Amino acid sequence: MKRVLVLGGGFGGIATAHRLKQKLGDEVEVILVDRRPFFMVGFRKSWALTGESTLEAGQKPIDSLSKIGVDVRRATIEAIHPQEKSATVDGERIQADALVVALGAELMPSAVPGFAEYAYNVYDPNDIPRVEKALREFKGGRLVIGIFGAPYKCPPAPLEMAMLIQDKFKKTGVEATIEVFTPQPVTLPILSQASCDAVEGRLAEIGIHTYGHHKALSIEAGEVVFEKRRIGFDLLLGVPPHKAPKVVRESGLVGESGWVEINPRTCETSFEGVYAIGDSTQIVLANKKTLPKAGLFAELMGETVADRLADIFSGKEPTAQFSGEGGCFFEVGNGEAMMIKGNFLAEPPTVDITDSSKEYYAEKVKFETDRWAKWFG
Ligand SMILES: Cc1cc2nc3c(=O)[nH]c(=O)nc-3n(C[C@H](O)[C@H](O)[C@H](O)COP(=O)(O)OP(=O)(O)OC[C@H]3O[C@@H](n4cnc5c(N)ncnc54)[C@H](O)[C@@H]3O)c2cc1C
């Protein structure tokens, strides 16, 4: 029997393991390793920081995949050996016929001097209760949301957080100015200049100011320091720089970009039988921009890899390809959302942002419940 070792049980890893079992059942052994016991969609953080819901309400135990025959191991991946299609997991070397690396991105707050002392990390689930409390107790003033590096997960998420916080402050009567800075030229570089102007204009209309080309050097008490200016704050919410996880960086899988570079259609790495999917990877699009880090893409890549492996194990020519079609939700408050979507792998990519509507908000809610139903039944 063939064995597939799936490293990481987030969007990409779960999608791979689930699809392999769906297709091959008992004909394949699937080992899925993650140190985290549960799955949770990224946007739970936006809901939890405003107190709309809790993180716990969105957590599903990965263990339940054992019901469909996946061998789920709660453990730490200490080393990856791509030449041998194996990994060291809690001291044990596990060998496989195929290796799927789905370890996401690592948050690096330590890369910004002062981040740990003065900023709240809105991308770290462990920091979300502290953020929620700080926002609940905020008496008004200058709230700054800082993007401290790019690429980062779900590009519209910091803007979504700004809008949801604004919505909350409106309801609770807190008077605040909200500012968002980014090191990138514009807030959403994947969009055309016109679409970006429209988004930034909409934010400005409701009093959320955005600054592009702002690469923070450090944070001091009450101030973010840039090369040519400083921005003062009463409360600073930060998206820390992201990197490929250390175990991936040390494996020889990453390229010059610092991320795993893969065949964009097949998710193959330069090592035979080793695939990488999701946030650990970087795909450069036809317009030289990069594929945004999004759960939906990690999932589609995982399903592509599973379909290809199912064919290969059955002696067939693999035909499945990652489509690059999909997108990310951008909730704007008042029970509405927009979506940034399109065909990212088209040449050139055809990506745009929709109008906001209650329907997109409903789709966002369904995005989470659909995954629960599909994977955890
Ligand atoms: C605020 C926010 C909002 C978002 N909204 C959306 C959205 O609307 N739509 C969308 O599609 N995406 C959204 N995302 C992005 C989405 O969450 C990520 O792109 C997605 O989780 C990436 O999937 P992945 O499988 O690559 O990595 P992950 O889901 O991060 O999974 C990686 C797994 O690897 C495990 N791991 C890492 N290192 C080790 C190790 N050494 N040992 C053991 N286990 C390890 C981790 O515990 C983790 O479970 C959002 C993200 C955030 C932060």
Side-chain angles (χ1 to χ4, degrees), residues 163 187 193-210:
M163 292 185 94
T187 46
Q193 186 65 50
S195 297
C196 236
D197 289 346
V199 170
E200 291 173 10
R202 179 173 178 163
L203 288 161
E205 260 172 38
I206 58 164
I208 297 172
H209 302 286
T210 53

Side-chain angles (χ1 to χ4, degrees), residues 214-244:
H214 271 60
K215 169 127 190 63
L217 301 178
S218 62
I219 307 168
E220 295 176 4
E223 281 187 329
V224 185
V225 182
F226 303 88
E227 199 182 4
K228 292 195 179 132
R229 68 177 292 206
R230 287 167 174 251
I231 293 181
F233 62 83
D234 296 303
L235 183 60
L236 175 64
L237 308 184
V239 177
H242 292 25
K243 264 190 171 184

Side-chain angles (χ1 to χ4, degrees), residues 46-64:
S46 301
W47 291 344
L49 62 81
T50 53
E52 191 181 322
S53 184
T54 61
L55 293 179
E56 290 73 21
Q59 295 171 355
K60 293 285 165 190
I62 299 174
D63 247 0
S64 61

Side-chain angles (χ1 to χ4, degrees), residues 157-179:
L159 305 174
E160 164 177 291
M161 289 174 175
M163 292 185 94
L164 296 183
I165 292 168
Q166 171 86 308
D167 213 31
K168 175 188 166 86
F169 285 169
K170 234 171 48 192
K171 286 178 193 143
T172 52
V174 172
E175 285 191 19
T177 60
I178 301 184
E179 292 152 271

Side-chain angles (χ1 to χ4, degrees), residues 7-13 33-36 38 41-43 45-46 75-78 102-105 122-123 153-154 157 160-161 245 247 277-280 293-298 327-329 364 367:
L7 303 177
F11 263 95
V33 188
D34 201 305
R35 59 186 166 210
R36 200 169 65 163
F38 57 81
V41 301
F43 58 64
K45 295 187 237 350
S46 301
T76 298
I77 298 137
E78 293 154 338
L103 291 168
V122 283
Y123 268 37
K153 294 186 244 195
C154 192
E160 164 177 291
M161 289 174 175
V247 70
I277 58 177
D279 287 358
S280 296
K293 297 194 182 300
L296 179 67
F297 291 141
C328 231
F329 294 99
K364 175 177 174 171
F367 180 78

Side-chain angles (χ1 to χ4, degrees), residues 3-7 79-87 94-102 253 267 269 271-276 305 309:
R3 174 189 276 177
V4 181
L5 177 57
V6 182
L7 303 177
I80 305 169
H81 318 287
Q83 305 86 343
E84 293 144 37
K85 288 179 271 189
S86 73
I94 304 176
Q95 182 76 44
D97 297 290
L99 196 62
V100 183
V101 179
L253 279 166
C267 305
T269 68
F271 294 87
E272 192 259 317
V274 180
Y275 301 79
V305 170
L309 287 173

